[in-house]
């Protein structure tokens, strides 16, 4: 699987840590639903920063369950309820812990509301990972013990 960051000439540079385009060849795609900052017990912190922290941790856990990591993410959509200017620094700081290079393409949308009135942040993602067939072919069979 190959991931190529596209850097177009004659277009404004990214305004934050994201890529304007990524070309992926080979491999499988993992589509992750919108992930919110909810704890496993179903509760949510009131503060936006804590919800962002939990949402990114939840995203990483979902990716892991699918055999992917944040570095495999090629596209994210981020949704914020609050005025983005109020949460921008927190979102950028937390995001930078998960996306450290070859940044995914990204869209940010400020929304009037979510499915629940306490929700303040949501992120969805698409990851590109080596195909299972390619991964299986790369596994080397263990050496057999010699019999006497």
């Amino acid at each position: 699987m190959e991931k190529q960051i596209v850097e177009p000439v004659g277009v404004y540079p990214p305004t934050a840590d994201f890529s304007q385009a990524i070309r992926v060849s080979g491999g499988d795609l993992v589509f992750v639903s919108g992930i919110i900052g909810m704890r496993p017990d179903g509760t949510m912190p009131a503060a936006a920063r804590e919800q962002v922290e939990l949402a990114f941790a939840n995203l990483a856990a979902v990716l892991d369950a699918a055999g992917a990591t944040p570095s495999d993410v090629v596209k994210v959509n981020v949704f914020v309820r609050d005025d983005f200017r109020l949460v921008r620094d927190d979102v950028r700081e937390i995001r930078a812990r998960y996306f450290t290079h070859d940044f995914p393409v990204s869209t940010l949308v400020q929304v009037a509301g979510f499915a629940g009135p306490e929700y303040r942040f949501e992120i969805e993602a698409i990851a590109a990972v080596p195909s299972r067939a390619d991964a299986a072919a790369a596994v080397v069979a263990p050496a057999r013990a010699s019999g006497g």
Side-chain angles (χ1 to χ4, degrees), residues 9-68:
V9 176
V11 176
Y12 65 92
T15 57
D17 289 339
F18 66 87
S19 297
Q20 290 176 313
I22 296 176
R23 181 185 177 113
V24 178
S25 58
D28 294 331
L29 296 178
V30 176
F31 294 84
V32 180
S33 292
I35 301 294
I36 57 174
M38 183 179 286
R39 298 179 188 104
D41 66 4
T43 62
M44 295 183 76
R49 180 182 176 87
E50 291 177 70
Q51 286 192 24
V52 174
E53 292 267 12
L54 275 169
F56 272 95
N58 290 340
L59 173 63
V62 170
L63 289 167
D64 183 60

Side-chain angles (χ1 to χ4, degrees), residues 65-141:
T69 69
S71 66
D72 297 317
V73 172
V74 295
K75 170 70 173 147
V76 293
N77 292 324
V78 173
F79 306 92
V80 295
R81 187 185 78 195
D82 301 311
D83 181 338
F84 181 63
R85 293 172 294 183
L86 301 176
V87 296
R88 172 181 43 221
D89 292 342
D90 291 335
V91 171
R92 286 183 175 171
E93 174 195 330
I94 295 162
R95 176 190 167 110
R97 290 185 224 148
Y98 291 87
F99 305 130
T100 59
H101 66 285
D102 292 345
F103 302 111
V105 298
S106 182
T107 299
L108 170 83
V109 179
Q110 184 174 329
V111 298
F114 289 107
E118 67 279 17
Y119 299 9
R120 300 183 67 185
F121 180 85
E122 186 171 349
I123 183 169
E124 62 183 27
I126 300 172
V129 296
S131 72
R132 290 187 179 169
D134 291 343
V139 174
V140 177

